Amino acid sequence: MSTHTNEQMLKTIHLADTKTPICRLEVKKHFDSLTNKEKHYAHYLSHASWAGSRILAGQLSDTAQSICDMLIHVLADRSRRSETGSPVLVDLEALAQRSTVSNEHFQYFLEYASQALFNVGNYRSFGDTKFIPRLPEAEFAKIIAASGSNEAQALFAQLGQQIYALLPEQQLLLGYPADGHVSGYYSRNVDKEDIEFVQKFIEQTGLSALNTRLFKASQQGSSEPDFTVAIASADMTKESQIHEFEGRKIQVQYGDFKEQMTKIADNMQKAIPFAANDNQKNMLEAYVKSFRSGSIEEHKESQMHWIKDVKPVVESNIGFIETYRDPAGVRAEWEGFVAVVNKEMTIKFETMVNNAHKFIELLPWPKDFEKDVFRPPDFTSLEVMSFATTGSPPAGINIPNYDDVRQNFGFKNVSLGNVLNAKAAGEKVTFIHPEDLALFEKYRGEAFELQVGLHELLGHGSGKLLGEETPGKFNFDVSNPPISPINQQPIKTWYKPGETWGSVFKSIAASYEECRAECVAMYLCLDKHVLSIFGHEGQEGDDIIYASYLTMARAGLTALEFYEPKSLKWGQAHMQARYAILRVFIQCGLVKLQVSENNIVIHMDRSKIATVGVKAIGDFLMRLNVYKATADAQEGTRFYVDATTVSQEHVEIRDIVLEQKQPRKMFVQANTFIDEAGQVVLKEYEPTLAGVIQSYVERSS
Ligand code: ZN
């Protein structure tokens, strides 16, 4: 391939996205239901979280922060202040006019700017690949010049070439600098052996790599230390020390990101008077100590108090949490979020838990295969108020990641409803029959809420594992074993002492269990009492059942995107599960897929849901549950692999599913500020490019 065509190809992959759907993280209703005290608590934690955005940039690359600064210089009017106390967004129309670039090019500029601010740099948080502006460099330069900002022009003179560079190719990906990739965690001369060597030192001295960066002296053997481990902290009271380690000099230096860590700790401190209980207070105090001193042990301490703070009205977590972006997987990215409970949804979930025994009786297995007492799984649905990270917030979290804290204190399992259920204005709904579209759009939110509640509480919460719990002690009558509804024979298998669901079903366990939970939701969503708990009666209830089944069928089809036909592997547990359910729908005659050259339309016979549909799901669910209950990994695995092996027919339509794939969404988050009357105000922005940019301008200071 010639260099020229290669460059063309690289260019298409690495151009900034265009026409990205934008969603607002809807939270106002829930924020407004907070007390004054709770609002202040949320406000300070949110500001602490976002105070770390410069850390995110620094961890990404050595130019990410300058690129963001340059864009803010162009897009912020520092001569005026908004009610948030920050600069205001410039008049974009006037800027476009002064720059004399075409409307299309100006649009491309705004797309690049919003994506760079959203990702805190010019690498996509999803996939870690570089993106470059869609407009020519000379046109970009005209906009920078038209801003009149000297700082922006100076930065562009420095960075312009780098912003557009597609070569060397290794630079298009984050990874080990020694391989030519980009990382902010290491100076460019650090290689893999260096990282391992210093890691050995870090572990032996009882430090942690989580909140560190690693730099190597450019000249070895001089009086300078060979390596510097820079620890993020506000204080530098702990002297920087040089250690001799296996013949090399390693300097441990506190105060990395000093300014940001100070701001973070100060905001955490300000939140303390607004804590709702002692757990929150102790947690905040440990956070402050950790961020000031750079101690990860103090951060662990904060997490122990965090776990004890059960179902708070305002939830948050903050620190150096996930290590995905460090090629060596030991250094963690800054992250901080604040979320608030969805009070209406919590009430519905609680009512359902209180009536759980009635619903569990309806499930398609004999009571021998069900627990004696229902214990609701730990599950909270929250709405994100702010999430400081690179790119999109996750739809759910399960933290902390410290193994010892998880073992001894547990963890929290949180679903972030407004991320999971976000829908962009004008977002195209694929594969739904035109006649179903209006109903689907109207009720997808309600259907989703119903499905989450049933899936999490009665899905994951139901079913018994039959076993010999300790030698000789069975949790069923072993002399008269339960009769399996699959073959009407007494069961022959069960869990042996020490065996668990995960250890018996191994790699298939996660997706299998998701499938069981999804089937419970499909099976129970027809129940009138369940529907009434969620506030749906009569015709509306029927419409929501239909919307729920349509949602599942569509998810099962889009799931094909997560199937890799070459390796015959599924990349995503939930999507594999939904594909299995679509197959059940098709086999029982409830759904037909109408395939044309470049589209697929789901035909669902609505009248069959309550007849063959629910019966087929019930049979399928019964088998999933009985194999699981009896530790029958052999039959269970065979059954599930069979149900999720993609048929040749479906491999063929996978290309259409990929073609119809909708672009990844961008989110716009709110800001908070304290007004003259001392009230915390939530300021929302339009779900547009200008809105996204404005939110970041007003987050800058
Ligand atoms: Zn689940």
Side-chain angles (χ1 to χ4, degrees):
M1 194 183 288
S2 77
T3 320
H4 179 73
T5 44
N6 190 27
E7 204 171 324
Q8 281 304 108
M9 200 183 74
L10 284 178
K11 205 166 168 179
T12 1
I13 300 170
H14 292 281
L15 284 177
D17 297 332
T18 185
K19 302 193 176 73
T20 305
I22 301 172
C23 299
R24 183 148 64 196
L25 272 181
E26 299 287 354
V27 74
K28 186 154 178 34
K29 190 173 77 177
H30 309 291
F31 180 83
D32 287 346
S33 76
L34 299 178
T35 64
N36 234 330
K37 191 178 171 189
E38 289 160 351
K39 284 179 185 171
H40 276 83
Y41 181 76
H43 167 77
Y44 288 117
L45 293 180
S46 167
H47 278 251
S49 301
W50 277 110
S53 75
R54 284 177 172 262
I55 301 176
L56 290 170
Q59 293 178 322
L60 174 64
S61 74
D62 50 12
T63 52
Q65 188 58 55
S66 302
I67 292 172
C68 294
D69 285 346
M70 177 191 81
L71 294 166
I72 294 288
H73 279 301
V74 173
L75 294 160
D77 178 353
R78 286 171 198 268
S79 68
R80 293 187 296 144
R81 295 267 143 184
S82 80
E83 68 271 47
T84 65
S86 303
V88 300
L89 179 67
V90 295
D91 181 339
L92 291 176
E93 230 166 279
L95 176 64
Q97 265 184 2
R98 281 200 306 278
S99 70
T100 71
V101 305
S102 70
N103 286 343
E104 189 186 39
H105 283 162
F106 195 73
Q107 184 74 8
Y108 286 159
F109 173 78
L110 294 183
E111 287 180 343
Y112 179 79
S114 61
Q115 287 164 38
L117 294 169
F118 182 65
N119 288 287
V120 201
N122 52 348
Y123 288 76
R124 295 181 176 101
S125 66
F126 191 81
D128 288 340
T129 53
K130 182 175 176 176
F131 57 92
I132 67 167
R134 275 181 181 262
L135 69 163
E137 192 173 340
E139 300 298 286
F140 198 103
K142 283 186 194 165
I143 299 171
I144 303 281
S147 75
S149 159
N150 295 332
E151 293 96 334
Q153 289 182 65
L155 284 167
F156 188 68
Q158 234 178 74
L159 298 165
Q161 223 184 351
Q162 196 271 337
I163 287 174
Y164 277 88
L166 289 168
L167 294 170
E169 255 183 77
Q170 288 85 343
Q171 297 246 348
L172 301 175
L173 254 185
L174 297 185
Y176 285 110
D179 296 340
H181 299 307
V182 169
S183 172
Y185 291 111
Y186 306 100
S187 57
R188 289 188 189 181
N189 55 353
V190 170
D191 64 27
K192 288 176 207 172
E193 287 83 61
D194 294 334
I195 298 173
E196 279 166 29
F197 174 74
V198 174
Q199 189 59 25
K200 212 161 49 168
F201 162 78
I202 288 177
E203 281 164 15
Q204 285 190 14
T205 32
L207 291 167
S208 164
L210 284 174
N211 58 345
T212 68
R213 294 194 290 170
L214 175 58
F215 306 109
K216 185 178 181 180
S218 48
Q219 283 189 340
Q220 298 292 297
S222 64
S223 60
E224 297 289 296
D226 299 288
F227 297 103
T228 299
V229 177
I231 299 183
S233 71
D235 292 346
M236 297 180 72
T237 40
K238 267 191 218 159
E239 294 244 343
S240 135
Q241 278 193 359
I242 298 178
H243 304 252
E244 285 281 345
F245 183 73
E246 296 183 4
R248 319 275 292 269
K249 291 196 198 75
I250 303 178
Q251 169 170 249
V252 175
Q253 192 168 54
Y254 286 85
D256 198 22
F257 299 116
K258 182 178 184 345
E259 196 187 316
Q260 291 74 38
M261 295 307 292
T262 305
K263 251 194 201 172
I264 292 162
D266 289 351
N267 275 295
M268 298 305 280
Q269 186 108 43
K270 284 184 194 160
I272 293 175
F274 303 100
N277 54 50
D278 281 349
N279 286 325
Q280 284 184 3
K281 186 169 162 283
N282 295 336
M283 169 186 87
L284 292 175
E285 284 170 352
Y287 274 133
V288 172
K289 278 189 207 157
S290 168
F291 298 146
R292 291 211 194 284
S293 68
S295 157
I296 291 296
E297 284 306 311
E298 287 292 353
H299 193 262
K300 277 191 187 175
E301 174 81 25
S302 76
Q303 300 303 287
M304 297 175 204
H305 298 297
W306 179 68
I307 291 158
K308 288 186 213 152
D309 186 26
V310 178
K311 296 193 192 291
V313 175
V314 179
E315 181 62 286
S316 73
N317 201 277
I318 186 165
F320 296 86
I321 313 289
E322 304 289 352
T323 56
Y324 308 125
R325 266 198 156 179
D326 169 20
V330 293
R331 297 182 160 77
E333 201 178 30
W334 175 258
E335 167 179 313
F337 79 84
V338 182
V340 299
V341 294
N342 180 334
K343 284 184 183 161
E344 291 165 28
M345 200 147 149
T346 306
I347 292 169
K348 290 173 190 171
F349 284 9
E350 276 170 9
T351 315
M352 211 160 65
V353 166
N354 294 336
N355 290 281
H357 59 282
K358 293 184 210 156
F359 303 134
I360 282 179
E361 275 174 17
L362 302 174
L363 290 169
W365 49 79
K367 65 177 190 313
D368 284 337
F369 295 86
E370 191 49 70
K371 295 188 206 67
D372 302 333
V373 188
F374 173 74
R375 259 183 236 97
D378 171 45
F379 172 75
T380 314
S381 184
L382 299 170
E383 311 290 332
V384 175
M385 183 186 117
S386 71
F387 207 124
T389 182
T390 46
S392 297
I397 39 180
N398 190 315
I399 41 178
N401 293 327
Y402 303 118
D403 285 332
D404 47 346
V405 179
R406 286 177 81 90
Q407 285 285 332
N408 298 321
F409 297 87
F411 55 87
K412 289 190 194 178
N413 184 20
V414 168
S415 159
L416 301 173
N418 57 351
V419 179
L420 204 54
N421 198 23
K423 188 178 160 291
E427 188 183 328
K428 192 181 158 206
V429 179
T430 49
F431 312 127
I432 295 293
H433 194 289
E435 281 175 17
D436 292 330
L437 203 55
L439 180 143
F440 180 83
E441 298 236 45
K442 183 170 177 192
Y443 290 118
R444 65 191 288 181
E446 282 85 353
F448 170 79
E449 185 187 79
L450 177 66
Q451 206 173 317
V452 169
L454 288 169
H455 172 114
E456 295 290 348
L457 301 171
L458 303 180
H460 291 313
S462 66
K464 177 178 180 176
L465 301 183
L466 299 165
E468 185 179 359
E469 293 176 323
T470 49
K473 187 175 168 283
F474 294 81
N475 66 2
F476 63 96
D477 183 356
V478 72
S479 59
N480 183 22
I483 303 299
S484 162
I486 297 175
N487 58 11
Q488 322 310 324
Q489 301 287 316
I491 63 159
K492 294 190 180 68
T493 52
W494 51 80
Y495 292 87
K496 304 284 177 320
E499 283 183 345
T500 64
W501 155 241
S503 75
V504 172
F505 278 71
K506 302 202 171 69
S507 66
I508 212 170
S511 179
Y512 187 110
E513 173 61 9
E514 291 310 329
C515 190
R516 206 183 61 86
E518 289 286 59
C519 286
V520 168
M522 287 293 100
Y523 193 74
L524 290 179
C525 75
L526 275 70
D527 186 75
K528 295 276 180 279
H529 186 187
V530 167
L531 285 165
S532 80
I533 288 175
F534 282 82
H536 314 310
E537 313 278 349
Q539 182 61 42
E540 192 189 58
D542 286 346
D543 288 346
I544 288 167
I545 296 169
Y546 189 40
S548 299
Y549 270 68
L550 284 173
T551 305
M552 184 57 73
R554 179 168 178 267
L557 187 57
T558 54
L560 289 171
E561 186 191 308
F562 298 90
Y563 175 74
E564 180 42 66
K566 282 200 196 89
S567 58
L568 309 176
K569 282 210 167 73
W570 282 96
Q572 220 283 343
H574 291 84
M575 296 315 268
Q576 180 178 4
R578 290 164 190 155
Y579 174 72
I581 298 176
L582 171 65
R583 283 269 294 271
V584 174
F585 287 175
I586 293 173
Q587 276 157 11
C588 73
L590 173 64
V591 164
K592 282 193 178 64
L593 299 180
Q594 184 200 336
V595 181
S596 59
E597 200 185 324
N598 52 15
N599 201 12
I600 306 164
V601 177
I602 296 166
H603 287 255
M604 185 178 287
D605 183 344
R606 185 172 172 162
S607 69
K608 286 187 178 165
I609 294 175
T611 57
V612 297
V614 76
K615 180 169 185 313
I617 285 294
D619 284 350
F620 187 71
L621 171 58
M622 181 274 285
R623 282 171 181 269
L624 288 175
N625 191 63
V626 171
Y627 294 135
K628 181 185 173 189
T630 56
D632 192 348
Q634 199 184 339
E635 280 305 299
T637 303
R638 192 194 51 75
F639 180 69
Y640 193 64
V641 167
D642 189 49
T644 60
T645 298
V646 176
S647 63
Q648 187 50 35
E649 193 190 346
H650 289 164
V651 170
E652 279 161 23
I653 62 175
R654 181 174 171 272
D655 285 342
I656 304 176
V657 172
L658 289 177
E659 268 166 40
Q660 296 275 339
K661 190 177 152 186
Q662 297 300 293
R664 289 188 69 78
K665 297 183 191 87
M666 189 151 62
F667 289 94
V668 56
Q669 302 184 20
N671 279 317
T672 55
F673 63 95
I674 299 179
D675 70 7
E676 283 164 1
Q679 302 291 313
V680 180
V681 181
L682 184 89
K683 181 171 182 185
E684 292 187 299
Y685 302 90
E686 289 304 310
T688 58
L689 291 174
V692 172
I693 292 169
Q694 190 186 2
S695 77
Y696 282 92
V697 164
E698 296 194 358
R699 229 166 260 135
S700 71
S701 45

